[in-house]
Amino acid sequence: MIKANYPVTKFEAIRTPFYYYDLEVLRRTLQEINHLTETDPFEVHYALKANVNPEVLKTIRDAGLGADCVSGGEVKAALDAGIPASKIVFAGVGKADWEIKLGLENDIFCFNVESIPELEVINELAIGQGKTAQVALRINPNVSANTHHYITTGLNENKFGINLSELDKVTAIVKQLSNIRLIGIHFHIGSQITDLAPFQDLCVKVNEIQEHFEANGIVLENVNVGGGLGINYEHPNHFPIPEFEAYFKIFREHLTLRPGQKLHFELGRAIVAQCGSLISRVLYVKEGTSKKFAILDAGFTELIRPALYQAYHRIENLSSELPEEEYDVVGPICESSDVFAKAYQMNGTHRGDLIALRSAGAYGEIMASQYNLRALPVAYTSDQLL
Ligand code: LLP
């Protein structure tokens, strides 16, 4: 079995479970993004919801990316990491007043707005601060993303965004709000999208919507197409860098930008997933009646994706080169859903072996919980373990 090139002897001395971030993989990913977008009017905002590890954030800031935030906490984390306010967009269906105020105080680039009542509240709070809030309308394009139903967001029945039928009403209201400046439109169709066709569908919809706006005398400076580019969970060693080239090409070729218009992206998973692994130790190998269980010291408290979305994460035994055998790889939490994989082929496994759950850099550490009164996981980077 091909495995990650990790400093296993260094790992031996560290208490498990912990997250490990290979910053070289992250830097290469960021270089690829910058290289592929440097000649286009494209701006990539990193979706902080995927991972806010300070070292990861700093590396992303150093590459010059902007930030996509969905809470006051994330806006703070982006500012603390040194990401300029002029590159911060703030989304979310339920922004609290203090969060909106924080964004206004710091003059963030844009609020992605999802409803009329939200527009009215932002306007009032902006009046209170004597500021003008820049907003983009999040429009629900009704495009299907062919991904897990928990993570598709662009369909009419989702709670997100403003429906196409409401658009004219909303723009009429925006015109009447004194301290709101409409600077763009925003979309997001879902996450872990590996079949790129839905992005092309999105481009077609965006073109239609832009024409509609123009016909009504409105030209917007910004189009934001959200995030969602998927990664290869099966083969992180062969495909550490996602399909950015094909992804950006779709937008370059199919979305018609107006002169001076900027196209914004909000990528989370595609930037950070492959640089991270959850490192765990085998506590026990238990023989069941018809199968073997490898019981790890990490569970869904550290990585909830398998339990919550039936997500696949590649599992590598970093300590063993023994012939492969089949295991149910499970955690220690007192719930039957605490299973990372069933009937999984792994090198012969013993107590104390180090296990890597791969592609866990996105929606891993950040979704950890203290259920069963477990400690939140710590994290190390490749730079720290050099
Ligand atoms: N923009 C908006 C408006 C979003 O809702 C999201 C993700 C993103 C950008 C970033 O999407 P990405 O590029 O990472 O696909 N916890 C789930 C994923 C939830 C995604 C939520 N929204 C998981 O572990 O698969």
Side-chain angles (χ1 to χ4, degrees):
M1 188 186 228
I2 296 171
K3 293 177 198 170
N5 185 17
Y6 284 165
V8 179
T9 39
K10 294 259 166 73
F11 286 0
E12 291 290 353
I14 303 173
R15 182 166 160 183
T16 50
F18 62 89
Y19 272 89
Y20 177 70
Y21 298 116
D22 185 336
L23 295 184
E24 271 319 302
V25 170
L26 179 57
R27 288 186 191 111
R28 275 197 281 133
T29 306
L30 292 162
Q31 270 163 21
E32 173 86 352
I33 292 173
N34 281 336
H35 166 70
L36 289 169
T37 56
E38 64 193 355
T39 58
D40 295 289
F42 290 0
E43 187 166 329
V44 178
H45 303 258
Y46 166 62
L48 267 79
K49 62 175 80 66
N51 187 323
V52 292
N53 176 281
E55 300 300 313
V56 167
L57 272 189
K58 265 189 234 155
T59 308
I60 292 170
R61 176 212 56 202
D62 288 348
L65 269 63
D68 162 36
C69 304
V70 287
S71 70
E74 286 189 1
V75 172
K76 267 194 205 143
L79 291 168
D80 288 351
I83 296 176
S86 60
K87 288 186 178 180
I88 296 180
V89 298
F90 183 10
V93 281
K95 300 179 192 75
D97 292 19
W98 73 267
E99 297 178 306
I100 296 170
K101 284 183 193 158
L102 180 76
L104 289 168
E105 275 156 21
N106 287 284
D107 298 314
I108 61 162
F109 171 62
C110 188
F111 292 86
N112 293 336
V113 172
E114 308 219 5
S115 69
I116 295 169
E118 185 191 339
L119 272 173
E120 290 168 347
V121 170
I122 295 178
N123 187 53
E124 257 172 52
L125 297 174
I127 291 171
Q129 288 191 20
K131 296 213 167 160
T132 298
Q134 306 208 110
V135 308
L137 297 178
R138 174 164 182 181
I139 301 170
N140 195 332
N142 204 19
V143 167
S144 169
N146 300 329
T147 179
H148 193 283
H149 62 282
Y150 281 11
I151 48 179
T152 108
T153 45
L155 286 171
N156 273 343
E157 71 258 24
N158 287 121
K159 70 175 173 181
F160 300 101
I162 296 163
N163 282 338
L164 285 171
S165 54
E166 295 269 283
L167 208 52
D168 290 339
K169 187 170 141 201
V170 178
T171 37
I173 289 173
V174 169
K175 280 189 189 152
Q176 289 159 15
L177 298 174
S178 57
N179 291 42
I180 296 280
R181 193 163 95 82
L182 180 62
I183 63 160
I185 42 179
H186 172 238
F187 306 84
H188 175 74
I189 57 171
S191 198
Q192 183 52 16
I193 300 169
T194 48
D195 162 13
L196 299 184
F199 290 118
Q200 197 168 324
D201 296 346
L202 175 62
C203 292
V204 171
K205 277 282 166 74
V206 173
N207 291 341
E208 285 171 16
I209 292 166
Q210 290 238 77
E211 278 164 24
H212 179 83
F213 271 104
E214 275 174 350
N216 288 294
I218 303 171
V219 178
L220 300 164
E221 298 136 66
N222 300 279
V223 174
N224 182 334
V225 288
L229 174 63
I231 63 136
N232 193 320
Y233 280 97
E234 277 78 24
H235 303 290
N237 298 311
H238 293 101
F239 302 101
I241 304 205
E243 293 258 11
F244 291 116
E245 188 163 5
Y247 173 74
F248 289 121
K249 191 163 176 253
I250 285 182
F251 292 97
R252 193 177 294 123
E253 290 183 353
H254 298 280
L255 196 150
T256 316
L257 283 180
R258 303 329 191 229
Q261 231 176 18
K262 253 194 176 175
L263 186 60
H264 300 257
F265 299 86
E266 301 172 344
L267 294 169
R269 185 189 321 263
I271 296 175
V272 291
Q274 296 294 36
C275 77
S277 286
L278 173 61
I279 308 297
S280 171
R281 247 177 229 285
V282 178
L283 290 174
Y284 306 103
V285 176
K286 175 170 146 177
E287 303 268 351
T289 43
S290 60
K291 49 166 102 170
K292 282 189 200 171
F293 293 94
I295 303 171
L296 309 187
D297 63 5
F300 72 46
T301 41
E302 285 73 40
L303 180 63
I304 200 170
R305 301 194 69 258
L308 193 57
Y309 315 114
Q310 299 91 42
Y312 173 90
H313 285 263
R314 183 180 162 90
I315 304 173
E316 296 169 2
N317 185 332
L318 302 177
S319 309
S320 168
E321 289 302 332
L322 295 170
E324 288 184 11
E325 288 179 54
E326 206 170 89
Y327 298 91
D328 277 15
V329 184
V330 304
I333 310 302
C334 302
E335 300 244 5
S336 10
S337 62
D338 190 25
V339 175
F340 288 122
K342 286 194 169 154
Y344 197 87
Q345 289 288 331
M346 213 168 45
N347 294 101
T349 295
H350 294 97
R351 173 172 165 83
D353 285 356
L354 282 166
I355 303 289
L357 290 131
R358 302 293 311 281
S359 313
Y363 308 110
E365 186 183 358
I366 194 68
M367 291 182 81
S369 79
Q370 290 184 299
Y371 184 46
N372 284 193
L373 214 48
R374 288 167 61 82
L376 288 173
V378 289
Y380 301 89
T381 67
S382 48
D383 287 13
Q384 288 165 332
L385 296 189
L386 273 182

